[in-house]
Amino acid sequence: MKDHQIIAHFDGSPEVKVVTQSRILPVLAIAHEFGYVLTSHQFSTTGITKFMFTRDDSELARRRAAWARYHYEINGAWWATAAPRPTDPISPIQAGGARLSLYQIERTPAPRYVRKVAAFTAVAVVAGVVFLANDAMGYAVFCLLAALGSGALLLWGPGLRARKEVEYRQTLETFDRQRLFWSYDEGGGGS
């Protein structure tokens, strides 16, 4: 799917569904620039990804969408509203990746994450003990190593998640600082 095919989906409709096979980050970046928020996604084993977006009606999102539409109609570049400076070189695609990662973290809150990992650890330990009791050493070792790995995730996972969340938010803030909304009334430009 090419950029113009992705952009055609974001026509101002209240909800948009996009199905893609390989262009996940461009879809997220374009959706954001055209004023949409990711509400759900579904990855399949065949490589096809389905996204559902809802139009963001906030003033900033509508302004961003208007500028993206304006630049796209004038010169065909949907990314023209973000002008990276040497101090803030975040591309719209990198911001799209950070946006997806942050969405996934927010979708599974820390307590639910801990419960899932703890449940997996317990099941792996029980399975390992059962296999050990039945002299199935290969399966027992595999299960107990899986339990050890998920136990490590239980200890260090929440801290790592918190650090990654801060990193993704900082990436998005840096990207937003790069945005310029030009105005001839204000002497040529400003943010």
PDB file of all heavy atoms in Angstrom, residues 28-30 32-33 64 78-85 87-96 98-99 167-180:
ATOM      1  N   LEU A  28       0.481   4.393  10.871  1.00  0.00           N
ATOM      2  CA  LEU A  28       0.330   5.084  12.153  1.00  0.00           C
ATOM      3  C   LEU A  28       0.755   6.540  12.057  1.00  0.00           C
ATOM      4  O   LEU A  28       0.115   7.427  12.630  1.00  0.00           O
ATOM      5  CB  LEU A  28       1.133   4.358  13.227  1.00  0.00           C
ATOM      6  CG  LEU A  28       0.589   2.977  13.569  1.00  0.00           C
ATOM      7  CD1 LEU A  28       1.594   2.191  14.373  1.00  0.00           C
ATOM      8  CD2 LEU A  28      -0.720   3.094  14.301  1.00  0.00           C
ATOM      9  N   ALA A  29       1.845   6.807  11.342  1.00  0.00           N
ATOM     10  CA  ALA A  29       2.329   8.179  11.198  1.00  0.00           C
ATOM     11  C   ALA A  29       1.336   9.031  10.411  1.00  0.00           C
ATOM     12  O   ALA A  29       1.008  10.149  10.812  1.00  0.00           O
ATOM     13  CB  ALA A  29       3.696   8.178  10.509  1.00  0.00           C
ATOM     14  N   ILE A  30       0.829   8.491   9.309  1.00  0.00           N
ATOM     15  CA  ILE A  30      -0.129   9.233   8.482  1.00  0.00           C
ATOM     16  C   ILE A  30      -1.432   9.459   9.248  1.00  0.00           C
ATOM     17  O   ILE A  30      -1.992  10.554   9.220  1.00  0.00           O
ATOM     18  CB  ILE A  30      -0.367   8.493   7.149  1.00  0.00           C
ATOM     19  CG1 ILE A  30       0.889   8.592   6.277  1.00  0.00           C
ATOM     20  CG2 ILE A  30      -1.577   9.051   6.420  1.00  0.00           C
ATOM     21  CD1 ILE A  30       0.884   7.702   5.049  1.00  0.00           C
ATOM     22  N   HIS A  32      -1.871   9.801  12.421  1.00  0.00           N
ATOM     23  CA  HIS A  32      -1.665  10.870  13.408  1.00  0.00           C
ATOM     24  C   HIS A  32      -1.643  12.231  12.724  1.00  0.00           C
ATOM     25  O   HIS A  32      -2.292  13.171  13.187  1.00  0.00           O
ATOM     26  CB  HIS A  32      -0.360  10.640  14.166  1.00  0.00           C
ATOM     27  CG  HIS A  32      -0.083  11.702  15.175  1.00  0.00           C
ATOM     28  ND1 HIS A  32      -0.783  11.797  16.356  1.00  0.00           N
ATOM     29  CD2 HIS A  32       0.799  12.731  15.170  1.00  0.00           C
ATOM     30  CE1 HIS A  32      -0.338  12.834  17.042  1.00  0.00           C
ATOM     31  NE2 HIS A  32       0.618  13.416  16.344  1.00  0.00           N
ATOM     32  N   GLU A  33      -0.908  12.337  11.630  1.00  0.00           N
ATOM     33  CA  GLU A  33      -0.817  13.623  10.934  1.00  0.00           C
ATOM     34  C   GLU A  33      -2.171  14.087  10.411  1.00  0.00           C
ATOM     35  O   GLU A  33      -2.443  15.274  10.378  1.00  0.00           O
ATOM     36  CB  GLU A  33       0.185  13.540   9.774  1.00  0.00           C
ATOM     37  CG  GLU A  33       1.620  13.379  10.220  1.00  0.00           C
ATOM     38  CD  GLU A  33       2.099  14.491  11.132  1.00  0.00           C
ATOM     39  OE1 GLU A  33       1.903  15.679  10.802  1.00  0.00           O
ATOM     40  OE2 GLU A  33       2.664  14.176  12.187  1.00  0.00           O
ATOM     41  N   ARG A  64      -3.538  20.124  13.048  1.00  0.00           N
ATOM     42  CA  ARG A  64      -2.496  19.273  12.459  1.00  0.00           C
ATOM     43  C   ARG A  64      -3.026  18.621  11.177  1.00  0.00           C
ATOM     44  O   ARG A  64      -2.339  18.573  10.160  1.00  0.00           O
ATOM     45  CB  ARG A  64      -2.079  18.216  13.469  1.00  0.00           C
ATOM     46  CG  ARG A  64      -0.967  17.312  13.014  1.00  0.00           C
ATOM     47  CD  ARG A  64      -0.539  16.356  14.099  1.00  0.00           C
ATOM     48  NE  ARG A  64      -1.626  15.480  14.523  1.00  0.00           N
ATOM     49  CZ  ARG A  64      -2.141  15.447  15.760  1.00  0.00           C
ATOM     50  NH1 ARG A  64      -1.661  16.210  16.708  1.00  0.00           N
ATOM     51  NH2 ARG A  64      -3.136  14.633  16.046  1.00  0.00           N
ATOM     52  N   TRP A  78       2.861  14.452   2.945  1.00  0.00           N
ATOM     53  CA  TRP A  78       2.033  14.476   4.156  1.00  0.00           C
ATOM     54  C   TRP A  78       2.844  14.825   5.387  1.00  0.00           C
ATOM     55  O   TRP A  78       2.297  15.207   6.404  1.00  0.00           O
ATOM     56  CB  TRP A  78       1.315  13.144   4.346  1.00  0.00           C
ATOM     57  CG  TRP A  78       2.236  11.964   4.436  1.00  0.00           C
ATOM     58  CD1 TRP A  78       2.628  11.161   3.404  1.00  0.00           C
ATOM     59  CD2 TRP A  78       2.893  11.463   5.586  1.00  0.00           C
ATOM     60  NE1 TRP A  78       3.488  10.195   3.849  1.00  0.00           N
ATOM     61  CE2 TRP A  78       3.662  10.353   5.189  1.00  0.00           C
ATOM     62  CE3 TRP A  78       2.909  11.832   6.934  1.00  0.00           C
ATOM     63  CZ2 TRP A  78       4.442   9.620   6.074  1.00  0.00           C
ATOM     64  CZ3 TRP A  78       3.676  11.105   7.821  1.00  0.00           C
ATOM     65  CH2 TRP A  78       4.438  10.011   7.387  1.00  0.00           C
ATOM     66  N   TRP A  79       4.144  14.692   5.344  1.00  0.00           N
ATOM     67  CA  TRP A  79       4.998  14.921   6.497  1.00  0.00           C
ATOM     68  C   TRP A  79       5.516  16.354   6.575  1.00  0.00           C
ATOM     69  O   TRP A  79       6.286  16.694   7.457  1.00  0.00           O
ATOM     70  CB  TRP A  79       6.201  13.977   6.467  1.00  0.00           C
ATOM     71  CG  TRP A  79       7.076  14.204   5.281  1.00  0.00           C
ATOM     72  CD1 TRP A  79       8.126  15.081   5.185  1.00  0.00           C
ATOM     73  CD2 TRP A  79       6.967  13.587   4.020  1.00  0.00           C
ATOM     74  NE1 TRP A  79       8.670  15.034   3.932  1.00  0.00           N
ATOM     75  CE2 TRP A  79       7.977  14.114   3.188  1.00  0.00           C
ATOM     76  CE3 TRP A  79       6.121  12.629   3.486  1.00  0.00           C
ATOM     77  CZ2 TRP A  79       8.146  13.723   1.866  1.00  0.00           C
ATOM     78  CZ3 TRP A  79       6.305  12.243   2.168  1.00  0.00           C
ATOM     79  CH2 TRP A  79       7.301  12.781   1.386  1.00  0.00           C
ATOM     80  N   ALA A  80       5.097  17.204   5.691  1.00  0.00           N
ATOM     81  CA  ALA A  80       5.660  18.557   5.611  1.00  0.00           C
ATOM     82  C   ALA A  80       5.388  19.400   6.854  1.00  0.00           C
ATOM     83  O   ALA A  80       6.054  20.402   7.059  1.00  0.00           O
ATOM     84  CB  ALA A  80       5.117  19.272   4.381  1.00  0.00           C
ATOM     85  N   THR A  81       4.449  19.011   7.702  1.00  0.00           N
ATOM     86  CA  THR A  81       4.167  19.814   8.889  1.00  0.00           C
ATOM     87  C   THR A  81       5.163  19.566  10.007  1.00  0.00           C
ATOM     88  O   THR A  81       5.144  20.250  11.007  1.00  0.00           O
ATOM     89  CB  THR A  81       2.749  19.522   9.418  1.00  0.00           C
ATOM     90  OG1 THR A  81       2.647  18.141   9.701  1.00  0.00           O
ATOM     91  CG2 THR A  81       1.711  19.953   8.424  1.00  0.00           C
ATOM     92  N   ALA A  82       6.030  18.594   9.863  1.00  0.00           N
ATOM     93  CA  ALA A  82       7.052  18.335  10.869  1.00  0.00           C
ATOM     94  C   ALA A  82       8.411  18.595  10.240  1.00  0.00           C
ATOM     95  O   ALA A  82       8.772  17.967   9.266  1.00  0.00           O
ATOM     96  CB  ALA A  82       6.978  16.898  11.381  1.00  0.00           C
ATOM     97  N   ALA A  83       9.122  19.576  10.772  1.00  0.00           N
ATOM     98  CA  ALA A  83      10.414  19.955  10.202  1.00  0.00           C
ATOM     99  C   ALA A  83      11.523  19.645  11.195  1.00  0.00           C
ATOM    100  O   ALA A  83      11.781  20.427  12.100  1.00  0.00           O
ATOM    101  CB  ALA A  83      10.413  21.446   9.862  1.00  0.00           C
ATOM    102  N   PRO A  84      12.189  18.481  11.065  1.00  0.00           N
ATOM    103  CA  PRO A  84      13.241  18.140  12.030  1.00  0.00           C
ATOM    104  C   PRO A  84      14.386  19.147  12.000  1.00  0.00           C
ATOM    105  O   PRO A  84      14.804  19.594  10.944  1.00  0.00           O
ATOM    106  CB  PRO A  84      13.719  16.772  11.569  1.00  0.00           C
ATOM    107  CG  PRO A  84      12.641  16.239  10.704  1.00  0.00           C
ATOM    108  CD  PRO A  84      11.965  17.431  10.106  1.00  0.00           C
ATOM    109  N   ARG A  85      14.854  19.495  13.161  1.00  0.00           N
ATOM    110  CA  ARG A  85      16.040  20.337  13.306  1.00  0.00           C
ATOM    111  C   ARG A  85      17.188  19.407  13.669  1.00  0.00           C
ATOM    112  O   ARG A  85      16.964  18.287  14.132  1.00  0.00           O
ATOM    113  CB  ARG A  85      15.824  21.372  14.418  1.00  0.00           C
ATOM    114  CG  ARG A  85      14.667  22.312  14.131  1.00  0.00           C
ATOM    115  CD  ARG A  85      14.537  23.345  15.241  1.00  0.00           C
ATOM    116  NE  ARG A  85      14.347  22.719  16.539  1.00  0.00           N
ATOM    117  CZ  ARG A  85      13.216  22.756  17.236  1.00  0.00           C
ATOM    118  NH1 ARG A  85      12.184  23.380  16.759  1.00  0.00           N
ATOM    119  NH2 ARG A  85      13.127  22.171  18.400  1.00  0.00           N
ATOM    120  N   THR A  87      18.902  19.302  16.217  1.00  0.00           N
ATOM    121  CA  THR A  87      18.857  18.902  17.626  1.00  0.00           C
ATOM    122  C   THR A  87      17.725  17.925  17.921  1.00  0.00           C
ATOM    123  O   THR A  87      17.754  17.255  18.937  1.00  0.00           O
ATOM    124  CB  THR A  87      18.677  20.137  18.533  1.00  0.00           C
ATOM    125  OG1 THR A  87      17.504  20.842  18.125  1.00  0.00           O
ATOM    126  CG2 THR A  87      19.896  21.047  18.437  1.00  0.00           C
ATOM    127  N   ASP A  88      16.722  17.849  17.052  1.00  0.00           N
ATOM    128  CA  ASP A  88      15.565  16.981  17.269  1.00  0.00           C
ATOM    129  C   ASP A  88      15.271  16.144  16.019  1.00  0.00           C
ATOM    130  O   ASP A  88      14.241  16.333  15.384  1.00  0.00           O
ATOM    131  CB  ASP A  88      14.322  17.818  17.593  1.00  0.00           C
ATOM    132  CG  ASP A  88      14.485  18.659  18.834  1.00  0.00           C
ATOM    133  OD1 ASP A  88      15.193  18.224  19.745  1.00  0.00           O
ATOM    134  OD2 ASP A  88      13.885  19.744  18.880  1.00  0.00           O
ATOM    135  N   PRO A  89      16.117  15.217  15.658  1.00  0.00           N
ATOM    136  CA  PRO A  89      15.892  14.498  14.394  1.00  0.00           C
ATOM    137  C   PRO A  89      14.955  13.290  14.527  1.00  0.00           C
ATOM    138  O   PRO A  89      15.351  12.156  14.333  1.00  0.00           O
ATOM    139  CB  PRO A  89      17.302  14.051  14.011  1.00  0.00           C
ATOM    140  CG  PRO A  89      17.976  13.832  15.333  1.00  0.00           C
ATOM    141  CD  PRO A  89      17.370  14.838  16.279  1.00  0.00           C
ATOM    142  N   ILE A  90      13.710  13.514  14.861  1.00  0.00           N
ATOM    143  CA  ILE A  90      12.724  12.439  14.962  1.00  0.00           C
ATOM    144  C   ILE A  90      11.851  12.495  13.711  1.00  0.00           C
ATOM    145  O   ILE A  90      11.221  13.507  13.434  1.00  0.00           O
ATOM    146  CB  ILE A  90      11.839  12.583  16.221  1.00  0.00           C
ATOM    147  CG1 ILE A  90      12.671  12.713  17.486  1.00  0.00           C
ATOM    148  CG2 ILE A  90      10.853  11.427  16.317  1.00  0.00           C
ATOM    149  CD1 ILE A  90      13.422  11.484  17.886  1.00  0.00           C
ATOM    150  N   SER A  91      11.804  11.406  12.968  1.00  0.00           N
ATOM    151  CA  SER A  91      10.976  11.374  11.760  1.00  0.00           C
ATOM    152  C   SER A  91       9.544  10.999  12.140  1.00  0.00           C
ATOM    153  O   SER A  91       9.307  10.424  13.203  1.00  0.00           O
ATOM    154  CB  SER A  91      11.537  10.351  10.769  1.00  0.00           C
ATOM    155  OG  SER A  91      11.264   9.040  11.215  1.00  0.00           O
ATOM    156  N   PRO A  92       8.584  11.298  11.260  1.00  0.00           N
ATOM    157  CA  PRO A  92       7.208  10.880  11.525  1.00  0.00           C
ATOM    158  C   PRO A  92       7.078   9.363  11.672  1.00  0.00           C
ATOM    159  O   PRO A  92       6.268   8.880  12.458  1.00  0.00           O
ATOM    160  CB  PRO A  92       6.442  11.377  10.300  1.00  0.00           C
ATOM    161  CG  PRO A  92       7.254  12.502   9.770  1.00  0.00           C
ATOM    162  CD  PRO A  92       8.682  12.140  10.067  1.00  0.00           C
ATOM    163  N   ILE A  93       7.903   8.610  10.951  1.00  0.00           N
ATOM    164  CA  ILE A  93       7.861   7.148  11.039  1.00  0.00           C
ATOM    165  C   ILE A  93       8.342   6.690  12.415  1.00  0.00           C
ATOM    166  O   ILE A  93       7.748   5.800  13.030  1.00  0.00           O
ATOM    167  CB  ILE A  93       8.713   6.507   9.914  1.00  0.00           C
ATOM    168  CG1 ILE A  93       8.226   6.972   8.534  1.00  0.00           C
ATOM    169  CG2 ILE A  93       8.703   4.992  10.018  1.00  0.00           C
ATOM    170  CD1 ILE A  93       6.792   6.642   8.204  1.00  0.00           C
ATOM    171  N   GLN A  94       9.424   7.295  12.933  1.00  0.00           N
ATOM    172  CA  GLN A  94       9.904   6.960  14.276  1.00  0.00           C
ATOM    173  C   GLN A  94       8.843   7.305  15.318  1.00  0.00           C
ATOM    174  O   GLN A  94       8.629   6.547  16.267  1.00  0.00           O
ATOM    175  CB  GLN A  94      11.191   7.719  14.598  1.00  0.00           C
ATOM    176  CG  GLN A  94      12.396   7.240  13.828  1.00  0.00           C
ATOM    177  CD  GLN A  94      13.575   8.174  14.020  1.00  0.00           C
ATOM    178  OE1 GLN A  94      13.466   9.383  13.794  1.00  0.00           O
ATOM    179  NE2 GLN A  94      14.698   7.619  14.434  1.00  0.00           N
ATOM    180  N   ALA A  95       8.178   8.430  15.129  1.00  0.00           N
ATOM    181  CA  ALA A  95       7.113   8.823  16.051  1.00  0.00           C
ATOM    182  C   ALA A  95       5.952   7.825  15.975  1.00  0.00           C
ATOM    183  O   ALA A  95       5.355   7.484  16.996  1.00  0.00           O
ATOM    184  CB  ALA A  95       6.627  10.236  15.733  1.00  0.00           C
ATOM    185  N   GLY A  96       5.661   7.329  14.779  1.00  0.00           N
ATOM    186  CA  GLY A  96       4.618   6.321  14.629  1.00  0.00           C
ATOM    187  C   GLY A  96       4.967   5.040  15.384  1.00  0.00           C
ATOM    188  O   GLY A  96       4.113   4.431  16.027  1.00  0.00           O
ATOM    189  N   ALA A  98       6.928   4.861  18.047  1.00  0.00           N
ATOM    190  CA  ALA A  98       6.792   5.176  19.476  1.00  0.00           C
ATOM    191  C   ALA A  98       5.324   5.204  19.877  1.00  0.00           C
ATOM    192  O   ALA A  98       4.949   4.729  20.950  1.00  0.00           O
ATOM    193  CB  ALA A  98       7.457   6.514  19.793  1.00  0.00           C
ATOM    194  N   ARG A  99       4.475   5.716  18.996  1.00  0.00           N
ATOM    195  CA  ARG A  99       3.043   5.785  19.276  1.00  0.00           C
ATOM    196  C   ARG A  99       2.431   4.383  19.406  1.00  0.00           C
ATOM    197  O   ARG A  99       1.649   4.118  20.317  1.00  0.00           O
ATOM    198  CB  ARG A  99       2.360   6.576  18.162  1.00  0.00           C
ATOM    199  CG  ARG A  99       1.056   7.169  18.539  1.00  0.00           C
ATOM    200  CD  ARG A  99       0.584   8.220  17.535  1.00  0.00           C
ATOM    201  NE  ARG A  99       1.236   9.495  17.808  1.00  0.00           N
ATOM    202  CZ  ARG A  99       2.181  10.037  17.041  1.00  0.00           C
ATOM    203  NH1 ARG A  99       2.557   9.464  15.938  1.00  0.00           N
ATOM    204  NH2 ARG A  99       2.725  11.183  17.382  1.00  0.00           N
ATOM    205  N   GLU A 167      10.587   6.745  27.655  1.00  0.00           N
ATOM    206  CA  GLU A 167      11.333   6.945  26.410  1.00  0.00           C
ATOM    207  C   GLU A 167      10.381   7.246  25.247  1.00  0.00           C
ATOM    208  O   GLU A 167      10.621   8.164  24.459  1.00  0.00           O
ATOM    209  CB  GLU A 167      12.161   5.699  26.106  1.00  0.00           C
ATOM    210  CG  GLU A 167      12.925   5.760  24.809  1.00  0.00           C
ATOM    211  CD  GLU A 167      13.605   4.443  24.488  1.00  0.00           C
ATOM    212  OE1 GLU A 167      14.091   3.770  25.413  1.00  0.00           O
ATOM    213  OE2 GLU A 167      13.625   4.083  23.291  1.00  0.00           O
ATOM    214  N   TYR A 168       9.285   6.481  25.134  1.00  0.00           N
ATOM    215  CA  TYR A 168       8.334   6.707  24.044  1.00  0.00           C
ATOM    216  C   TYR A 168       7.657   8.069  24.175  1.00  0.00           C
ATOM    217  O   TYR A 168       7.475   8.778  23.187  1.00  0.00           O
ATOM    218  CB  TYR A 168       7.276   5.600  24.001  1.00  0.00           C
ATOM    219  CG  TYR A 168       7.847   4.222  23.758  1.00  0.00           C
ATOM    220  CD1 TYR A 168       7.347   3.125  24.439  1.00  0.00           C
ATOM    221  CD2 TYR A 168       8.881   4.014  22.863  1.00  0.00           C
ATOM    222  CE1 TYR A 168       7.864   1.854  24.226  1.00  0.00           C
ATOM    223  CE2 TYR A 168       9.406   2.745  22.650  1.00  0.00           C
ATOM    224  CZ  TYR A 168       8.897   1.670  23.334  1.00  0.00           C
ATOM    225  OH  TYR A 168       9.406   0.427  23.131  1.00  0.00           O
ATOM    226  N   ARG A 169       7.292   8.439  25.390  1.00  0.00           N
ATOM    227  CA  ARG A 169       6.665   9.760  25.592  1.00  0.00           C
ATOM    228  C   ARG A 169       7.635  10.885  25.248  1.00  0.00           C
ATOM    229  O   ARG A 169       7.237  11.894  24.652  1.00  0.00           O
ATOM    230  CB  ARG A 169       6.159   9.900  27.027  1.00  0.00           C
ATOM    231  CG  ARG A 169       4.939   9.037  27.307  1.00  0.00           C
ATOM    232  CD  ARG A 169       4.324   9.333  28.672  1.00  0.00           C
ATOM    233  NE  ARG A 169       3.329   8.360  29.014  1.00  0.00           N
ATOM    234  CZ  ARG A 169       2.105   8.292  28.495  1.00  0.00           C
ATOM    235  NH1 ARG A 169       1.734   9.168  27.591  1.00  0.00           N
ATOM    236  NH2 ARG A 169       1.251   7.359  28.884  1.00  0.00           N
ATOM    237  N   GLN A 170       8.906  10.730  25.604  1.00  0.00           N
ATOM    238  CA  GLN A 170       9.904  11.746  25.276  1.00  0.00           C
ATOM    239  C   GLN A 170      10.097  11.839  23.761  1.00  0.00           C
ATOM    240  O   GLN A 170      10.242  12.939  23.223  1.00  0.00           O
ATOM    241  CB  GLN A 170      11.232  11.441  25.967  1.00  0.00           C
ATOM    242  CG  GLN A 170      11.200  11.713  27.447  1.00  0.00           C
ATOM    243  CD  GLN A 170      12.473  11.254  28.156  1.00  0.00           C
ATOM    244  OE1 GLN A 170      13.247  10.450  27.637  1.00  0.00           O
ATOM    245  NE2 GLN A 170      12.676  11.771  29.351  1.00  0.00           N
ATOM    246  N   THR A 171      10.092  10.701  23.089  1.00  0.00           N
ATOM    247  CA  THR A 171      10.216  10.705  21.627  1.00  0.00           C
ATOM    248  C   THR A 171       9.059  11.478  20.998  1.00  0.00           C
ATOM    249  O   THR A 171       9.263  12.309  20.107  1.00  0.00           O
ATOM    250  CB  THR A 171      10.236   9.259  21.079  1.00  0.00           C
ATOM    251  OG1 THR A 171      11.380   8.588  21.606  1.00  0.00           O
ATOM    252  CG2 THR A 171      10.264   9.226  19.566  1.00  0.00           C
ATOM    253  N   LEU A 172       7.834  11.234  21.485  1.00  0.00           N
ATOM    254  CA  LEU A 172       6.672  11.934  20.939  1.00  0.00           C
ATOM    255  C   LEU A 172       6.691  13.421  21.263  1.00  0.00           C
ATOM    256  O   LEU A 172       6.315  14.251  20.430  1.00  0.00           O
ATOM    257  CB  LEU A 172       5.382  11.275  21.426  1.00  0.00           C
ATOM    258  CG  LEU A 172       5.159   9.848  20.922  1.00  0.00           C
ATOM    259  CD1 LEU A 172       3.920   9.236  21.556  1.00  0.00           C
ATOM    260  CD2 LEU A 172       5.081   9.808  19.404  1.00  0.00           C
ATOM    261  N   GLU A 173       7.139  13.775  22.464  1.00  0.00           N
ATOM    262  CA  GLU A 173       7.252  15.191  22.817  1.00  0.00           C
ATOM    263  C   GLU A 173       8.295  15.893  21.948  1.00  0.00           C
ATOM    264  O   GLU A 173       8.076  17.013  21.489  1.00  0.00           O
ATOM    265  CB  GLU A 173       7.599  15.340  24.295  1.00  0.00           C
ATOM    266  CG  GLU A 173       6.452  15.012  25.228  1.00  0.00           C
ATOM    267  CD  GLU A 173       6.871  14.973  26.694  1.00  0.00           C
ATOM    268  OE1 GLU A 173       7.990  15.432  27.024  1.00  0.00           O
ATOM    269  OE2 GLU A 173       6.076  14.478  27.509  1.00  0.00           O
ATOM    270  N   THR A 174       9.419  15.228  21.721  1.00  0.00           N
ATOM    271  CA  THR A 174      10.465  15.791  20.854  1.00  0.00           C
ATOM    272  C   THR A 174       9.926  15.964  19.441  1.00  0.00           C
ATOM    273  O   THR A 174      10.149  17.005  18.808  1.00  0.00           O
ATOM    274  CB  THR A 174      11.703  14.875  20.844  1.00  0.00           C
ATOM    275  OG1 THR A 174      12.196  14.750  22.181  1.00  0.00           O
ATOM    276  CG2 THR A 174      12.803  15.438  19.957  1.00  0.00           C
ATOM    277  N   PHE A 175       9.210  14.974  18.955  1.00  0.00           N
ATOM    278  CA  PHE A 175       8.628  15.069  17.611  1.00  0.00           C
ATOM    279  C   PHE A 175       7.655  16.240  17.532  1.00  0.00           C
ATOM    280  O   PHE A 175       7.685  17.009  16.571  1.00  0.00           O
ATOM    281  CB  PHE A 175       7.933  13.763  17.242  1.00  0.00           C
ATOM    282  CG  PHE A 175       7.256  13.811  15.906  1.00  0.00           C
ATOM    283  CD1 PHE A 175       8.002  13.838  14.741  1.00  0.00           C
ATOM    284  CD2 PHE A 175       5.881  13.853  15.809  1.00  0.00           C
ATOM    285  CE1 PHE A 175       7.385  13.900  13.500  1.00  0.00           C
ATOM    286  CE2 PHE A 175       5.252  13.904  14.581  1.00  0.00           C
ATOM    287  CZ  PHE A 175       6.012  13.928  13.417  1.00  0.00           C
ATOM    288  N   ASP A 176       6.805  16.395  18.538  1.00  0.00           N
ATOM    289  CA  ASP A 176       5.828  17.490  18.524  1.00  0.00           C
ATOM    290  C   ASP A 176       6.505  18.860  18.610  1.00  0.00           C
ATOM    291  O   ASP A 176       5.990  19.833  18.066  1.00  0.00           O
ATOM    292  CB  ASP A 176       4.812  17.322  19.646  1.00  0.00           C
ATOM    293  CG  ASP A 176       3.775  16.255  19.319  1.00  0.00           C
ATOM    294  OD1 ASP A 176       3.597  15.955  18.124  1.00  0.00           O
ATOM    295  OD2 ASP A 176       3.159  15.724  20.263  1.00  0.00           O
ATOM    296  N   ARG A 177       7.646  18.941  19.277  1.00  0.00           N
ATOM    297  CA  ARG A 177       8.372  20.223  19.333  1.00  0.00           C
ATOM    298  C   ARG A 177       8.913  20.617  17.961  1.00  0.00           C
ATOM    299  O   ARG A 177       9.175  21.783  17.712  1.00  0.00           O
ATOM    300  CB  ARG A 177       9.531  20.144  20.326  1.00  0.00           C
ATOM    301  CG  ARG A 177       9.120  20.314  21.756  1.00  0.00           C
ATOM    302  CD  ARG A 177      10.311  20.608  22.658  1.00  0.00           C
ATOM    303  NE  ARG A 177      11.405  19.666  22.503  1.00  0.00           N
ATOM    304  CZ  ARG A 177      11.572  18.559  23.216  1.00  0.00           C
ATOM    305  NH1 ARG A 177      10.692  18.247  24.143  1.00  0.00           N
ATOM    306  NH2 ARG A 177      12.597  17.773  23.007  1.00  0.00           N
ATOM    307  N   GLN A 178       9.104  19.657  17.082  1.00  0.00           N
ATOM    308  CA  GLN A 178       9.601  19.937  15.733  1.00  0.00           C
ATOM    309  C   GLN A 178       8.526  20.544  14.839  1.00  0.00           C
ATOM    310  O   GLN A 178       8.839  21.106  13.792  1.00  0.00           O
ATOM    311  CB  GLN A 178      10.065  18.629  15.063  1.00  0.00           C
ATOM    312  CG  GLN A 178      11.206  17.979  15.744  1.00  0.00           C
ATOM    313  CD  GLN A 178      11.498  16.596  15.201  1.00  0.00           C
ATOM    314  OE1 GLN A 178      12.482  16.032  15.556  1.00  0.00           O
ATOM    315  NE2 GLN A 178      10.667  16.029  14.351  1.00  0.00           N
ATOM    316  N   ARG A 179       7.274  20.416  15.239  1.00  0.00           N
ATOM    317  CA  ARG A 179       6.163  20.820  14.385  1.00  0.00           C
ATOM    318  C   ARG A 179       6.104  22.335  14.258  1.00  0.00           C
ATOM    319  O   ARG A 179       6.183  23.062  15.225  1.00  0.00           O
ATOM    320  CB  ARG A 179       4.862  20.298  14.977  1.00  0.00           C
ATOM    321  CG  ARG A 179       3.672  20.504  14.086  1.00  0.00           C
ATOM    322  CD  ARG A 179       2.457  19.826  14.643  1.00  0.00           C
ATOM    323  NE  ARG A 179       2.693  18.421  14.932  1.00  0.00           N
ATOM    324  CZ  ARG A 179       2.740  17.458  14.014  1.00  0.00           C
ATOM    325  NH1 ARG A 179       2.600  17.758  12.751  1.00  0.00           N
ATOM    326  NH2 ARG A 179       2.938  16.212  14.362  1.00  0.00           N
ATOM    327  N   LEU A 180       5.946  22.781  13.034  1.00  0.00           N
ATOM    328  CA  LEU A 180       5.817  24.205  12.757  1.00  0.00           C
ATOM    329  C   LEU A 180       4.507  24.446  12.031  1.00  0.00           C
ATOM    330  O   LEU A 180       4.222  23.799  11.034  1.00  0.00           O
ATOM    331  CB  LEU A 180       6.970  24.692  11.877  1.00  0.00           C
ATOM    332  CG  LEU A 180       8.370  24.535  12.442  1.00  0.00           C
ATOM    333  CD1 LEU A 180       9.397  24.923  11.396  1.00  0.00           C
ATOM    334  CD2 LEU A 180       8.534  25.358  13.697  1.00  0.00           C
TER     335      LEU A 180
END
